Amino acid sequence: MESGVTDRLWDKDVQEFISACRQEKLSDIALGHSLGVNGRALLTVSATYRSRKGRIVPVGFRWADSRSGLTAEVYAGKAKAPARVGLDGLFRLALRAGLWAERRHVAFALLAVTDVQSKADGVRARLQLEYLKALGGNESESTALLVRGPYDSAGDPERKALIEQAGELTMQTLNDLAYLYGARSGLDTP
């Protein structure tokens, strides 16, 4: 199982995810998920930004409830904004977070967080399929598991357990890659 999945590290999408994690303004990148509509897992990203004065500010990408359903948002500290705002909106978000002098750096850190989320979301489905193939042993059955989805009412417990295990392995792999190729800790840098 390990060799088939580690061969994936050389795929273009995985390399793009790794390069997105190599942002000098971000450290402690962690990926997670929140449940969305129909039980679908939506990818979230949290990281820390270290200001020039040494202040540690949490930044990230998450999903929040709104009147129209779930919407993507970015945050810096307690300030938040929709993820689709432009660079000017990210500058205003940095101002609301109290980082006036570093608004440009914070804005680019928020763009980097959005990029990490986007690249990880692109890799996640393919990596989960690889894990399903490795765990299930039968390629056609593994593909059928994903097509039906993990929350079918007619699904059996074995199928759900296999999908959950593949999902956990996928998230662990993504977090391991983010840890290995991203900055390890904002507290370690002077």
Side-chain angles (χ1 to χ4, degrees):
M1 178 168 83
E2 296 273 335
S3 65
V5 175
T6 54
D7 288 344
R8 258 282 167 232
L9 293 177
W10 304 112
D11 285 355
K12 180 183 172 198
D13 295 336
V14 175
Q15 288 299 311
E16 288 176 358
F17 170 68
I18 288 171
S19 67
C21 290
R22 290 182 176 158
Q23 298 293 326
E24 63 186 42
K25 300 296 180 193
L26 299 179
S27 60
D28 301 325
I29 299 170
L31 292 98
H33 56 79
S34 58
L35 289 181
V37 181
N38 298 329
R40 183 173 174 244
L42 301 170
L43 198 60
T44 61
V45 177
S46 62
T48 55
Y49 168 79
R50 186 179 179 121
S51 71
R52 286 185 276 173
K53 294 182 180 180
R55 183 173 153 203
I56 302 295
V57 180
V59 294
F61 181 100
R62 64 185 173 206
W63 296 89
D65 289 325
S66 71
R67 290 183 217 143
S68 61
L70 287 177
T71 58
E73 68 180 22
V74 289
Y75 63 91
K78 293 183 180 182
K80 60 184 178 180
R84 65 185 175 278
V85 299
L87 199 53
D88 289 339
L90 295 177
F91 285 152
R92 286 190 292 276
L93 177 63
L95 296 176
R96 288 194 306 266
L99 297 164
W100 167 258
E102 298 181 53
R103 63 191 176 277
R104 187 174 132 249
H105 296 291
V106 173
F108 285 117
L110 291 170
L111 284 175
V113 165
T114 305
D115 191 37
V116 168
Q117 191 277 340
S118 172
K119 302 297 184 192
D121 205 27
V123 170
R124 182 177 61 164
R126 291 178 50 205
L127 192 57
Q128 187 172 358
L129 180 61
E130 288 294 320
Y131 276 121
L132 273 174
K133 287 178 185 177
L135 291 170
N138 186 347
E139 186 173 330
S140 62
E141 283 182 24
S142 300
T143 307
L145 289 175
L146 278 182
V147 171
R148 287 186 293 196
Y151 300 101
D152 282 347
S153 59
D156 61 14
E158 288 180 32
R159 183 172 66 91
K160 287 182 182 181
L162 189 64
I163 290 173
E164 286 177 15
Q165 185 181 7
E168 290 171 10
L169 288 170
T170 300
M171 290 303 294
Q172 182 64 44
T173 301
L174 290 174
N175 277 310
D176 288 347
L177 289 172
Y179 177 79
L180 287 172
Y181 295 102
R184 293 225 166 54
S185 175
L187 299 173
D188 293 343
T189 56

